[in-house]
Amino acid sequence: MQGTRRVVRQGPAERTALGLSHCEGVDLVSAWTDRTERGAEDFRLVACPTAPGWAAAYHPETDVLVPRDSTADISNAPTSRGIVVRPERTTTGTATAPRSDGS
């Protein structure tokens, strides 16, 4: 996929189990022990080989999903590689697939 960084890669089996289609517009939602849901809107769900239960997306587009108090013990760096997210069909309806020429 060209022309956007607002993509989330997830294994085909997980995508199918959620009833979502390749390149479907999704919002990402994360939850933390504080029970606060955090969201990032307007991503494209792309089928890509990943480990079962895993997804991948670009930083900093997904920084809003990482709780401020979720940091590594020694470095105090955000734990952006260890958060739980779920894709949901986009609620804004504005996610559009990039054109094949990348624009």
Side-chain angles (χ1 to χ4, degrees):
M1 180 164 291
Q2 297 178 343
T4 184
R5 288 173 47 98
R6 296 189 75 79
V7 296
V8 59
R9 293 165 183 83
Q10 190 171 38
E14 284 81 16
R15 179 182 51 82
T16 301
L18 292 168
L20 298 169
S21 302
H22 178 68
C23 288
E24 185 166 353
V26 296
D27 298 333
L28 301 177
V29 180
S30 71
W32 186 239
T33 56
D34 64 2
R35 300 185 191 271
T36 299
E37 287 193 345
R38 294 162 179 83
E41 298 179 336
D42 291 335
F43 284 76
R44 284 284 164 194
L45 185 61
V46 178
C48 184
T50 58
W54 286 78
Y58 287 106
H59 152 83
E61 287 79 359
T62 54
D63 280 355
V64 296
L65 300 171
V66 182
R68 292 182 192 256
D69 64 344
S70 177
T71 58
D73 293 335
I74 296 172
S75 69
N76 204 35
T79 57
S80 52
R81 292 186 182 178
I83 60 171
V84 176
V85 298
R86 71 178 180 272
E88 298 178 345
R89 281 188 178 81
T90 188
T91 58
T92 61
T94 59
T96 57
R99 297 181 350 196
S100 61
D101 66 1
S103 59

